[in-house]
Amino acid sequence: MKKLQDRQGRNFPYLRLSITDLCNFRCQYCLPDGCHTPQHKTAISLDEIRRLASAFAALGTNKIRISGGEPSLRSDFYDIIHTIRNIPGIETVAVTTNGYKMDRRVERWIDAGMTHLNVSIDSLEPAMFQRITGHNRLDEVLGGIDKALAAGLPSVKVNTVLMKDINDKELDRFLGWIKDQPITVRLIELMETGDMPDFFQKHHLSGLVVRQQLLKKGWTQMIRPDNAGPAQEFSHPDYQGHIGLIMPYSRDFCNSCNRLRVNSQGNLQLCLFADKGYSLRHLLQSDNQQELLIARIQEVLQLKEDKHFLDQGNTGATTNLSIIGG
Ligand code: SAM
Ligand code: SF4
């Protein structure tokens, strides 16, 4: 079987696919002024998504994460989940969402074939949640998580961006929340993007600080499989949930990179912080182009760099993560 391996010998069983750059939230670190120049009218169509996902599956990809912008804003969102889920070889269909109206919709996503769910919640305090996202919707988002667990999803992951002087005092509140629930809270270091160097300087907090706090409280780092990606995961015998730490600024973070990205315009992005993407769109127009598409993906992958250059302040072409899906 053909597979996706780069010059460094890393394998890529995981594709993160952005299906729209449109978003309705105004997260301070991502789209603080809202979404002004969305390209959602020219986003890849359901047929283009099917061809793309089929080509990646033929190259050994078994996990596809659907992201955005806010992916659930697409009117054909259910069809997209269903189509990807039915591609031979795709075992995991994950969704990353801000949780908008999820309390009313998540059961349908599961029916359509979603197997894994990541919900972004940066604060469990309603006023702070509103300050960060521009929306007073914490209850709605939490209600959606309850529904997802009740509907049979074995676990839910929550993405929480760590921000100094904003939500850095909330660790205990998050820990209390996951005591009796199978939820993994993944604390993500704030990453610098082209739009927000000042916000980054003011609010970036190293995950190592939280790591120390967790170890002190009796949490232990879990052993994860070799291909598990760059998150560190922690467990505690008294807690049903887990904590994940994603520290892109740590040394060796890129060694375990196992993911590629395609944005909503059909550009293959070799890294979140790459200088450019490589268009696949001209090869998504007909089912007869599959072999050419597969060859193009393999060829472009050989251009992947060893690592990102964030530590040198080089954020690449990524002005904010809503463009590329995080
Ligand atoms: N709108 C969806 C959501 O918020 O879950 C999906 C897209 S969003 C870009 C994906 C993830 O990227 C979210 O968990 C978000 O918190 C995270 N993110 C966005 N900008 C970030 C930044 N500068 N640093 C770290 N994480 C960021
Ligand atoms: Fe929208 Fe997600 Fe960015 Fe927040 S992080 S503004 S929800 S794309």
Side-chain angles (χ1 to χ4, degrees):
M1 184 184 179
K2 292 176 185 156
K3 63 178 193 170
L4 283 172
Q5 194 172 66
D6 70 358
R7 287 174 301 165
Q8 294 77 25
R10 294 174 295 193
N11 293 312
F12 297 88
Y14 176 15
L15 173 68
R16 294 178 71 110
L17 175 62
S18 172
I19 58 171
T20 181
D21 63 350
L22 190 65
C23 190
N24 52 349
F25 277 26
R26 296 188 297 278
C27 299
Q28 288 184 27
Y29 49 79
C30 185
L31 292 171
D33 303 319
C35 189
H36 288 309
T37 48
Q39 292 186 292
H40 66 286
K41 291 200 173 122
T42 54
I44 42 177
S45 68
L46 182 60
D47 271 337
E48 289 174 315
I49 290 171
R50 176 178 53 76
R51 292 179 190 123
L52 181 78
S54 301
F56 272 91
L59 285 164
T61 297
N62 55 30
K63 170 174 175 179
I64 297 187
R65 175 173 302 284
I66 306 171
S67 185
E70 177 45 40
S72 65
L73 294 180
R74 265 189 73 150
S75 57
D76 54 357
F77 187 49
Y78 312 101
D79 297 332
I80 292 172
I81 296 174
H82 188 254
T83 299
I84 294 177
R85 183 72 184 100
N86 283 296
I87 290 170
I90 301 298
E91 292 156 11
T92 301
V93 179
V95 167
T96 300
T97 174
N98 62 24
Y100 174 76
K101 292 195 179 165
M102 200 174 74
D103 53 345
R104 280 180 265 164
R105 296 174 171 174
V106 72
E107 286 151 338
R108 286 186 61 204
W109 303 350
I110 296 171
D111 285 349
M114 176 185 76
T115 60
H116 291 70
L117 175 65
N118 280 37
V119 187
S120 300
I121 303 181
D122 296 324
S123 173
L124 288 174
E125 209 270 299
M128 182 55 86
F129 182 92
Q130 178 163 12
R131 189 180 135 199
I132 296 171
T133 63
H135 280 260
N136 181 15
R137 289 183 183 267
L138 178 62
D139 280 352
E140 174 183 308
V141 177
L142 295 176
I145 291 180
D146 291 344
K147 284 252 171 78
L149 293 172
L153 268 197
S155 72
V156 171
K157 288 186 178 163
V158 165
N159 291 354
T160 304
V161 179
L162 274 174
M163 289 172 280
K164 188 161 64 185
D165 298 333
I166 295 186
N167 63 0
D168 54 340
K169 306 285 180 305
E170 286 201 49
L171 181 63
D172 285 338
R173 194 175 284 147
F174 276 102
L175 294 180
W177 182 54
I178 62 169
K179 192 153 191 335
D180 301 309
Q181 305 200 76
I183 295 173
T184 298
V185 174
R186 290 157 68 102
L187 302 167
I188 306 172
E189 277 183 2
L190 179 66
M191 293 176 254
E192 183 173 359
T193 55
D195 279 352
M196 40 79 84
D198 296 345
F199 187 91
F200 172 80
Q201 288 304 334
K202 219 163 141 194
H203 297 294
H204 178 260
L205 176 70
S206 165
L208 291 174
V209 176
V210 181
R211 189 173 197 282
Q212 281 313 110
Q213 291 172 349
L214 288 171
L215 295 176
K216 234 184 190 164
K217 290 174 192 286
W219 290 74
T220 47
Q221 189 168 347
M222 297 159 70
I223 301 185
R224 305 184 77 216
D226 282 348
N227 58 356
Q232 296 182 11
E233 214 161 300
F234 296 81
S235 67
H236 189 297
D238 299 338
Y239 289 75
Q240 214 183 320
H242 292 160
I243 294 285
L245 270 181
I246 301 182
M247 300 190 283
Y249 289 87
S250 65
R251 217 164 30 94
D252 299 339
F253 181 79
C254 301
N255 291 354
S256 50
C257 184
N258 63 353
R259 63 209 55 198
L260 294 172
R261 296 176 168 83
V262 173
N263 75 8
S264 62
Q265 305 303 311
N267 293 333
L268 175 56
Q269 307 278 155
L270 296 175
C271 172
L272 250 187
F273 301 99
D275 285 330
K276 61 173 185 171
Y278 298 85
S279 183
L280 303 176
R281 197 135 195 199
H282 57 292
L283 298 174
L284 298 176
Q285 303 314 310
S286 137
D287 290 352
N288 298 331
Q289 293 173 297
Q290 282 287 287
E291 285 308 314
L292 289 172
L293 177 59
I294 287 169
R296 165 97 172 141
I297 295 168
Q298 281 182 308
E299 178 192 305
V300 171
L301 178 60
Q302 300 317 308
L303 304 173
K304 186 169 164 67
E305 303 272 6
D306 293 6
K307 60 186 274 297
H308 64 59
F309 300 101
L310 275 182
D311 50 346
Q312 295 159 31
N314 182 350
T315 56
T318 306
T319 49
N320 64 69
L321 297 196
S322 78
I323 294 169
I324 191 173

